[in-house]
Amino acid sequence: IQGILFEKQILPYVVSANDTLFFFCLILLKNHTVCIIMIVIFIFNLFGVIYLITASPISLSMPTVALRGLVVFPGMNISFDVGRPKSIAALKAAMTGDQEIFLVTQKDIRDDDPSYEQLYKVGTIAKVNHVLRIPNSENIRISVEGIRRAKLCSVLLKKDYLVCEVKPKNDSAIKTEKHDYSLALVRH
């Protein structure tokens, strides 16, 4: 096994095929001391791979839309209008790529060009489902589905549209007894 696919990246597997072959040869030779050492090394390497799989992935650069008075949560399907030229440019950049965009709420809805300090530090990575140009208007209506929460690390580019460095968060599962309640909160 040469690698494990995780979040569109190949992470190197710690134990190579040669180490595994050597491990099984030692078992066949019945050299107990060396076998125990190799088993311990193999287990530590296995835990290292498990940690790499469960750890948060590295930061991503994503086109970003600053939302006014709106919060999008993971699992939520919502439609809203996009009108600012920077937001429309960010949407177009997302559509030419993997159709994922980072949605973060701005602190002051009156601000037309929010800076890093004027954005909340946690937002949602969303998948753009539909884009509809509104007749007789420059606005665009989009339908998105929230995928997962992410932390805003920095603003990388602010000229044509917002590009932010974000780090996806590992959300814990909702307890079974609160699942229906939490779904009702997201719907309303």
Side-chain angles (χ1 to χ4, degrees), residues 8 63 89-101 127-128 161:
K8 301 177 187 173
L91 179 63
K92 287 179 182 178
M95 294 307 289
T96 60
D98 58 0
Q99 298 181 347
E100 288 186 356
I101 194 161
K127 176 86 170 171
V128 179
Y161 58 92

Side-chain angles (χ1 to χ4, degrees), residues 16-147:
S16 68
N18 292 337
D19 291 338
T20 307
L21 182 62
F22 180 68
F23 173 71
F24 287 117
C25 289
L26 288 175
I27 291 175
L28 293 175
L29 293 174
K30 297 181 182 176
N31 185 344
H32 298 294
T33 306
V34 177
C35 283
I36 291 172
I37 292 171
M38 286 303 293
I39 290 170
V40 169
I41 291 171
F42 182 77
I43 290 172
F44 279 123
N45 285 339
L46 184 62
F47 282 122
V49 170
I50 291 171
Y51 172 75
L52 289 174
I53 291 172
T54 59
S56 292
I58 55 178
S59 299
L60 306 170
S61 295
M62 299 191 74
T64 302
V65 171
L67 302 173
R68 295 182 194 205
L70 179 68
V71 178
V72 178
F73 294 103
M76 185 176 181
N77 289 308
I78 189 168
S79 297
F80 57 91
D81 294 345
V82 176
R84 286 185 275 198
K86 283 189 175 185
S87 297
I88 292 172
L91 179 63
K92 287 179 182 178
M95 294 307 289
T96 60
D98 58 0
Q99 298 181 347
E100 288 186 356
I101 194 161
F102 181 63
L103 303 174
V104 62
T105 305
Q106 64 187 60
K107 294 178 181 176
D108 186 4
I109 62 172
R110 296 170 292 190
D111 192 2
D112 281 336
D113 192 16
S115 65
Y116 174 76
E117 293 80 23
Q118 296 163 329
L119 299 172
Y120 285 103
K121 301 309 176 236
V122 176
T124 302
I125 297 173
K127 176 86 170 171
V128 179
N129 294 328
H130 300 287
V131 177
L132 178 67
R133 191 164 290 281
I134 299 174
N136 301 324
S137 174
E138 293 181 10
N139 292 350
I140 296 175
R141 178 160 294 151
I142 66 171
S143 174
V144 298
E145 178 183 359
I147 298 173

